[in-house]
Amino acid sequence: MELRKNYFADVRKDGLNEIGQPRPRLDSPGHVTGKTAYFADRNFPDMLHLKMVRSPHHHARIRSIDTSAAEKHPGVVKILTAKDVPHNVYTILILIQIGPEDETVLADGKVRWKGEAVVAVLAETERAAQEAAAKVKVDYEVLPAVFDMEEALKPGAPLVNEYHGQNHYLYDSGECRKVRFGDVEAGFAGADHILEQSYQSSPIEHAPTETTGCVVAPEGNDRFTCYTNTQAMFFTLDNTSIILQMPGSKLHFVGGTVGGGFGGKVDVIVEPIAILGAKLTGRPVCFIYSREEEMQISSPRAAEKVVIKDGVMKDGRIVARKVTGYTDAGAYSRHSPYGAQKGAAHYPGPYTIPNVWIDTYCVYTNRTPSSAMRGFGVTIGDFALEVQMDKLARLIGMDPLEFRFVNAYRDGDMKAHRQPTEGAALIECMQEASRAANWPVAEEFMAMSSYTKGA
Amino acid sequence: MAKVPVQFTLNGAEKAEFVDSGTTLLHALRDKIGDTSPKGGCHQGTCGACSVIIDGELRLSCLTLAETCNGAEIRTTSGLAEAGVLHPLQRAFLDAFATQCGFCTPGMIMAAKVLLDHTPNPSREEVVEALSSNICRCTGYEPIIQAVLRAARANSQNAA
C-alpha cells in the first residue's frame, strides 16, 4: 500500500532517514539460534519448585488450613501461608498513591475468586510440590458470590472486598470518574435524533506462549536475584520490596526478555512469594504457571459494559454524548481503577462534541481479577464508540466516513476533559484511508485539514 | 527414585545422562543437558514450542519420554548454525521479520526444517500445513510462512 508522503512534511526538519528502511531487530539473532535467555532457561543446582494451593470457590470464608499431611510428603521443604508474608495485603498502584491495599499475597481468612492463592508448597521436584499441594486441607464456608457488575452495584449485593467497603472503587470524585462538559441535557433537547445503545464485552486472556513465572537465586548475602518475565520491572521491584519489607537494594531483578506479554505480565504475582520461599529456605526457587494457570489464573482484560446516548443533528453534527462505562475489576483492583479512569478521558472519542457527560465505574465482582491488556480502558470503548458512529450515520442517512469527517477533532479544539487538541492528524488519516480503501468522500472533506477549522 | 540411563546424540555430539523414569525429553534437554532452545509453553503437546527432530522426524519433546530416545539422533535449533554461519532457515526468519518475542521460533524452525528436508520446494499450503502444530501469539503467521518460502527459494538457488 503506497501512502502519500507529503503530510506534515513542513513539521519535521530532521529528514526521517530510517522511515521506509528495514532495520534488523536486535533480538532476532538470539531468537533464531535458540540462544535468547528467557527466565525459565536459568537453572540452578538444588532449585526448589513452588506450586500453589488455590481456592475452588468464588467466595468463601476459610475456617481452617491443615498442612500436616502435605508437610510429610517426600520432597517437601517448606509450606507458606498468609502468616509467613511480612506485608500480606497490598495493591500494585499504591506506588502512585492509588489505594487502598486490597489484595492478599496468600489468602487470609477469606477467598474472593475461584483460583485465589491460599497456600504455597515448595518441594524438591515439580511433581512432589504438586502432589503435596493436593494434600493440603482447607476447610471453607462457602459465601454468596456475585458475577455481574449491575448485580454487584445493587443494594444488598454480597460484599466482594471489605477493603473497599462497597462493590466499586471510590475515586476522589465519588463512586465513579466523571467528565462534565457543556450541558448534555440541553444538547439532547435540541437534537434531531437521540440514539441510546448498550455494548458489552467478555474478559479476554492474553494467552502468551511463555507462561508467567520467575526463577529466584539467593546470592548468599541476604540479596536475591530474581529472573522474571515481568513487563513491569520497577513496579515489581518496588511492590516486592513493600510486600517482603526488604530494601530494594536486597532485590536484584533481571528481566526484559518476555515470551509474549500483551499486558498480561504487569501484575506483581509470582515474584514476592518466590523470593520469600528462597529467603526462608536459602535455596533457589522456580515458580512457573502451568498452561492451565496461565489461562485461568492470570489477569484477563476486564469485562466491560458501555452505555452510549448520543444526540445528533440531520446535518451530521453530534451535539451531545452521555457515556456510562463499567469495568469489571474482578475481586481486586490491580490496574482496573486506572483503566476505568482512562476510559473517562477517552470516551468522547476523537470527536469534538460540545456537550459531554461521562461516568465510569470500576466494579468489584467475584471473578478473576482483571488487569492490563493492550490499550485497556479504551479498546472496548473504541469498539463501542465506532459501532455507535456507524449506527448514527445510518440513522441520519449519511456516509459513515463523511459522518466522521463532520465530527473529527482538529487542532485547537477543546476536548471534554479540558485538554486542547494538538497534532490530531485524524482528518489526514481518514483522507488517506479514503484513498487506500477506495471509499470516496465528497471533495469538501478531502479539502479539510486538522490544522484549521475552515474547510 | 531409581535412575534410568539415557544415551543419544544431540546435534552430532554424544550425550549420556541418568534421569528419573518418566522424565520428558524436554526436561532432559533443558535441565540436564543444558540445551534450552526447545521451550516449554504448555507441557501438554498443544503449542509446538518444544518441537525437536528425532531421527529425521518432527517430535514434541514435552510428550516424548527421554528413556525412549536411547540411540536416537536428536537435533535442535541451537545446533543448526554451522561454524557460526546461520542455517538458511535462520537467515530467512531473521530477514523476513518472522520473530517477535521469539518463544515459538525454535519450534517453528524445527517444523520448517523437517518440511524442507522432505519437500525442498513446498507450496504455500504445504508450509501452512507443516507449521499448523506450532502456535505463535505475536508476530502472526504470515511473516513466518514467508520466511520458510524464502529459505526454500534460497536453497534451490544454491543447488542450481
Side-chain angles (χ1 to χ4, degrees):
Chain A
M1 189 170 72
E2 271 301 307
L3 296 183
R4 281 188 355 177
K5 289 176 182 168
N6 58 348
Y7 286 123
F8 309 113
D10 54 333
V11 177
R12 303 281 299 256
K13 303 295 180 206
D14 50 344
L16 299 173
N17 297 324
E18 305 297 317
I19 303 294
Q21 303 296 322
R23 290 279 179 259
R25 290 180 59 106
L26 291 176
D27 54 4
S28 213
H31 293 345
V32 301
T33 53
K35 301 278 188 254
T36 301
Y38 299 84
F39 85 89
D41 297 337
R42 317 281 178 165
N43 197 2
F44 294 92
D46 297 328
M47 189 159 73
L48 297 174
H49 296 262
L50 191 155
K51 288 285 174 191
M52 210 51 96
V53 178
R54 298 187 177 281
S55 164
H57 303 295
H58 298 287
H59 197 192
R61 203 174 311 286
I62 298 173
R63 287 202 194 97
S64 64
I65 298 175
D66 178 4
T67 59
S68 55
E71 278 160 23
K72 293 190 197 90
H73 191 80
V76 169
V77 173
K78 188 82 187 169
I79 294 183
L80 304 174
T81 59
K83 66 179 181 351
D84 296 303
V85 185
H87 187 85
N88 192 41
V89 183
Y90 78 111
T91 195
I92 302 164
L93 294 180
I94 200 75
L95 301 177
I96 52 171
Q97 289 80 47
I98 298 180
E101 293 174 315
D102 71 344
E103 178 163 6
T104 48
V105 175
L106 293 175
D108 191 5
K110 243 190 113 173
V111 289
R112 299 176 180 87
W113 60 284
K114 186 177 172 178
E116 180 156 5
V118 182
V119 177
V121 178
L122 293 124
E124 301 285 352
T125 64
E126 204 179 338
R127 179 173 171 175
Q130 192 80 65
E131 288 170 347
K135 290 185 175 175
V136 172
K137 293 190 190 75
V138 184
D139 184 21
Y140 293 101
E141 176 196 344
V142 178
L143 300 171
V146 61
F147 307 109
D148 179 87
M149 288 190 280
E150 278 159 296
E151 291 298 320
L153 290 174
K154 282 181 186 165
L159 180 61
V160 174
N161 190 316
E162 296 78 4
Y163 296 102
H164 293 282
Q166 68 287 316
N167 287 339
H168 60 76
Y169 186 76
L170 198 59
Y171 290 96
D172 51 13
S173 53
E175 75 282 9
C176 59
R177 250 311 164 228
K178 300 170 186 175
V179 174
R180 302 289 183 263
F181 188 64
D183 183 341
V184 80
E185 292 307 327
F188 288 136
D192 290 331
H193 298 281
I194 304 281
L195 181 69
E196 183 171 341
Q197 299 278 290
S198 178
Y199 304 86
Q200 259 179 289
S201 68
S202 300
I204 302 170
E205 165 55 34
H206 317 71
T209 329
E210 176 207 48
T211 60
T212 300
C214 66
V215 169
V216 179
E219 291 181 10
N221 54 356
D222 287 334
R223 195 165 184 256
F224 298 85
T225 303
C226 178
Y227 300 93
T228 165
N229 60 5
T230 180
Q231 290 179 263
M233 186 62 97
F234 291 94
F235 260 36
T236 305
L237 174 67
D238 291 351
N239 272 294
T240 302
S241 175
I242 292 170
I243 291 166
L244 300 182
Q245 298 286 291
M246 285 167 74
S249 59
K250 298 290 184 190
L251 300 166
H252 176 201
F253 276 62
V254 179
T257 301
V258 182
F262 323 108
K265 290 170 180 166
V266 301
D267 296 336
V268 182
I269 305 293
V270 292
E271 295 86 354
I273 195 71
I275 294 171
L276 182 63
K279 186 178 156 91
L280 296 180
T281 62
R283 290 174 61 175
V285 170
C286 171
F287 181 17
I288 307 183
Y289 274 7
S290 66
R291 175 51 51 187
E292 185 183 1
E293 284 178 305
E294 191 64 39
M295 303 307 276
Q296 295 290 334
I297 302 303
S298 73
S299 304
R301 182 195 290 285
E304 289 184 44
K305 181 175 179 185
V306 187
V307 181
I308 309 176
K309 181 180 178 183
D310 284 327
V312 66
M313 305 305 287
K314 286 174 190 152
D315 64 7
R317 285 175 297 127
I318 303 171
V319 291
R321 171 164 282 176
K322 187 171 185 176
V323 182
T324 311
Y326 303 90
T327 298
D328 189 344
Y332 297 111
S333 290
R334 298 194 183 170
H335 289 82
S336 290
Y338 165 70
Q341 167 166 321
K342 204 153 56 130
H346 187 78
Y347 275 133
Y351 306 109
T352 295
I353 302 172
N355 302 297
V356 174
W357 170 299
I358 293 159
D359 287 344
T360 59
Y361 293 82
C362 173
V363 186
Y364 299 103
T365 64
N366 294 107
R367 298 175 81 180
T368 308
S370 62
S371 195
M373 184 180 192
R374 295 189 156 186
F376 71 119
V378 306
T379 312
I380 303 301
D382 278 334
F383 156 75
L385 287 173
E386 295 309 324
V387 173
Q388 178 84 357
M389 291 298 281
D390 284 349
K391 289 182 179 176
L392 288 168
R394 208 174 303 142
L395 182 67
I396 57 168
M398 200 167 177
D399 176 88
L401 188 51
E402 293 188 345
F403 178 62
R404 286 170 171 84
F405 274 100
V406 170
N407 292 289
Y409 64 1
R410 302 194 226 178
D411 287 8
D413 288 353
M414 183 56 74
K415 292 187 261 190
H417 63 294
R418 313 280 194 304
Q419 291 288 316
T421 305
E422 290 173 36
L426 175 59
I427 299 280
E428 287 73 15
C429 285
M430 291 196 296
Q431 288 166 343
E432 204 56 61
S434 163
R435 270 190 216 96
N438 195 21
W439 186 293
V441 292
E443 196 46 47
E444 62 180 290
F445 300 117
M446 294 308 275
M448 281 170 76
S449 163
S450 286
Y451 291 145
T452 55
K453 258 297 178 195
Chain B
M1 194 186 286
K3 303 285 181 185
V4 185
V6 200
Q7 201 168 350
F8 48 70
T9 68
L10 176 65
N11 299 318
E14 288 279 347
K15 300 288 173 187
E17 276 294 337
F18 287 99
V19 298
D20 290 332
S21 185
T23 298
T24 64
L25 178 62
L26 177 64
H27 181 65
L29 288 175
R30 289 178 54 83
D31 302 331
K32 293 280 185 178
I33 292 168
D35 182 353
T36 56
S37 67
K39 304 296 176 194
C42 70
H43 299 276
Q44 54 192 16
T46 56
C47 77
C50 70
S51 298
V52 300
I53 302 172
I54 303 177
D55 294 331
E57 298 295 328
L58 188 67
R59 291 281 180 260
L60 295 167
S61 63
C62 80
L63 295 187
T64 304
L65 296 184
E67 59 208 85
T68 65
C69 295
N70 267 311
E73 188 188 307
I74 299 173
R75 296 207 164 265
T76 64
T77 293
S78 66
L80 219 48
E82 281 182 33
V85 179
L86 294 182
H87 183 275
L89 268 167
Q90 293 173 312
R91 186 79 248 164
F93 269 64
L94 202 72
D95 292 342
F97 292 90
T99 75
Q100 199 172 133
C101 85
F103 202 78
C104 74
T105 307
M108 287 282 181
I109 289 179
M110 286 290 97
K113 181 167 191 309
V114 171
L115 170 71
L116 297 191
D117 286 348
H118 291 107
T119 314
N121 290 300
S123 66
R124 183 191 158 83
E125 287 67 32
E126 286 171 317
V127 174
V128 170
E129 178 63 26
L131 301 179
S132 62
S133 298
N134 294 70
I135 292 174
C136 166
R137 177 67 179 84
C138 345
T139 303
Y141 297 96
E142 193 55 34
I144 298 172
I145 294 165
Q146 292 304 323
V148 178
L149 291 169
R150 183 191 283 237
R153 281 197 302 275
N155 279 343
S156 63
Q157 277 160 12
N158 287 344

